[in-house]
Amino acid sequence: MSGDSWINSRQCRIVVAVITVIYVLFMVNLLFFKGRTVGLSYQYNWIPFETIRPLLLEREKYTTEAWVKNLFGNIVLFIPLGVCIPVLFRKCRSFLKLTVTVILILFAVELTQLVTRVGTFDVDDIILNTLGAWIGYVGLRFLMHVGRLR
């Protein structure tokens, strides 16, 4: 199959849909239930790079676990969005449409965490999560390109 035909195949979309459901269930559990306690106050960060900057510039203030979790966890866990969304929704195959869709989804997740007080609203999470989705998208486009070369 060529680059675009395999991504448009019914079998591919079914497999990705099943994987997406499993991924969403995993992420809902991780973001809203696992190890979360309902807080008494609202916590939020609306300033871009306010939490990213210290993680990058003051590395020695953080444990390796906290550093990896906050930087790489927020990127790696959202790589699947950059693959699943374009495969399942043809209208989101452009970089711009994917980016807008991902940011809207992530904003809704962060806002839900804030309102339900099971997490904090952090614009830096949206930035890092979007970066993860972009990595997934680039990987998908690469696979599509390699498929065309065959």
Side-chain angles (χ1 to χ4, degrees):
M1 284 188 188
S2 67
D4 284 342
S5 63
W6 67 267
I7 196 173
N8 291 324
S9 74
R10 179 174 165 80
Q11 295 87 351
C12 175
R13 292 171 60 110
I14 290 171
V15 168
V16 171
V18 170
I19 291 169
T20 301
V21 169
I22 295 167
Y23 170 74
V24 168
L25 292 172
F26 170 78
M27 293 304 291
V28 166
N29 181 53
L30 182 69
L31 295 170
F32 296 103
F33 299 108
K34 186 175 184 178
R36 303 286 179 157
T37 55
V38 178
L40 299 175
S41 65
Y42 293 106
Q43 296 178 351
Y44 53 87
N45 169 38
W46 290 95
I47 303 168
F49 302 102
E50 185 77 11
T51 42
I52 295 172
R53 187 179 311 108
L55 286 165
L56 294 174
L57 300 178
E58 301 168 16
R59 165 71 179 94
E60 67 281 353
K61 290 184 177 181
Y62 300 92
T63 66
T64 301
E65 179 184 354
W67 191 77
V68 169
K69 179 182 171 187
N70 284 299
L71 279 179
F72 295 103
N74 274 315
I75 294 170
V76 171
L77 286 173
F78 290 86
I79 290 173
L81 281 183
V83 176
C84 297
I85 291 172
V87 171
L88 296 176
F89 305 100
R90 288 185 179 123
K91 290 183 179 182
C92 293
R93 289 195 182 160
S94 76
F95 184 77
L96 180 60
K97 287 182 181 181
L98 172 75
T99 300
V100 169
T101 302
V102 165
I103 289 172
L104 288 173
I105 290 168
L106 296 172
F107 184 80
V109 167
E110 291 291 319
L111 196 58
T112 302
Q113 285 183 319
L114 176 67
V115 170
T116 61
R117 299 181 190 182
V118 294
T120 60
F121 180 99
D122 192 340
V123 71
D124 286 349
D125 286 349
I126 295 173
I127 292 168
L128 293 170
N129 300 163
T130 302
L131 178 59
W134 286 346
I135 292 168
Y137 179 78
V138 168
L140 176 65
R141 298 301 293 190
F142 175 76
L143 290 174
M144 290 172 65
H145 179 72
V146 168
R148 275 191 212 117
L149 295 177
R150 290 184 180 175

